[in-house]
Amino acid sequence: MSGRTKLILALAVLALFVAAAVLLPIPSPAGLRAWAAETGPATPLVFFLVYSVLTVAPIPRTVFNLAGGLLLGATTGIVVGILATTVASGLSFALSRALGRDLVTRHLHRAKVRAVNDRLSDGGVLAITSLRLIPMVPFAPFSYLCGVSSVRFAPYLIGTALGSLPGTVAVVVLGDALTGETPPALLICYAVFAAAGAIGLVKVFRRKAPAIPEPSGEEELPASAPAS
């Protein structure tokens, strides 16, 4: 597949994801309960599959975590939520790496692009965990960014699971927020997670960055041998 074809396909997929995030309706609590009653014992599995697939698009995970707490209870909702989060992040990573990695690689000679790429990849699990802890960092777009960067898959997936766990637990437990109001406790949790993520990022960025060699137009000529 040529680079131009990959770019066109990536843009089409991104447009589809954005359309899904904007157009898909958010069901009411009553609608969710009716759906769960119809689905019966298969509700956790079906919910896991829907969560894993739809959050590959930039649809807020909060909606699914709140629904998980409402439909599945705290324990099952947390387990399903974190597993679906990890699967969705892996799918997003793989998709963006397959379609967009070549485009970014061609621009790694640019100092700013290379600096962002190196900071993200060199930060490893700590960098991913810290950024996942910050609620203002959107889940799916950050997954796409990691996919086109040089971040290795294993640290990315571990950091995603660790960084998403506190927020998933908090939102699932506070599943009754689907009534339409955001509980003050949830806002406090978000503030704590953001502070923890910021501390982690400070540690990552304080690490000494590798020097980026400046391109030279001239090459040094070898020293001439002494005359005999």
Side-chain angles (χ1 to χ4, degrees):
M1 187 183 296
S2 68
R4 177 175 294 182
T5 303
K6 284 185 177 181
L7 178 59
I8 294 172
L9 185 57
L11 292 174
V13 171
L14 182 60
L16 180 63
F17 283 170
V18 171
V22 172
L23 299 177
L24 284 178
I26 297 176
S28 66
L32 288 171
R33 291 191 183 98
W35 168 79
E38 293 176 0
T39 309
T43 296
L45 176 59
V46 175
F47 183 77
F48 165 77
L49 294 174
V50 172
Y51 188 153
S52 300
V53 172
L54 291 185
T55 50
V56 173
I59 298 175
R61 288 190 318 117
T62 303
V63 174
F64 291 92
N65 288 331
L66 290 171
L70 182 71
L71 298 176
L72 307 177
T75 303
T76 304
I78 290 169
V79 172
V80 170
I82 198 62
L83 288 177
T85 292
T86 306
V87 170
S89 68
L91 292 174
S92 301
F93 181 97
L95 184 61
S96 62
R97 176 148 295 188
L99 297 178
R101 175 63 181 153
D102 292 345
L103 179 64
V104 174
T105 302
R106 291 200 297 267
H107 293 277
L108 283 178
H109 65 281
R110 301 178 185 274
K112 291 182 179 180
V113 175
R114 184 172 173 183
V116 172
N117 180 76
D118 290 347
R119 282 297 188 185
L120 196 57
S121 58
D122 292 345
V125 173
L126 178 59
I128 303 300
T129 301
S130 301
L131 285 162
R132 289 297 194 195
L133 280 169
I134 301 176
M136 290 75 74
V137 176
F139 178 79
F142 180 63
S143 299
Y144 309 153
L145 173 62
C146 290
V148 298
S149 74
S150 299
V151 174
R152 290 182 294 117
F153 185 68
Y156 162 79
L157 213 58
I158 294 170
T160 293
L162 293 175
S164 301
L165 181 60
T168 300
V169 171
V171 178
V172 170
V173 170
L174 294 169
D176 60 348
L178 272 174
T179 54
E181 298 177 358
T182 304
L186 184 57
L187 297 177
I188 294 172
C189 288
Y190 280 163
V192 172
F193 301 153
I199 292 171
L201 286 180
V202 168
K203 291 184 178 180
V204 169
F205 283 105
R206 278 183 176 176
R207 294 176 180 174
K208 187 176 180 180
I212 301 176
E214 293 292 335
S216 175
E218 300 178 356
E219 295 186 359
E220 295 183 2
L221 297 175
S224 60
S228 57

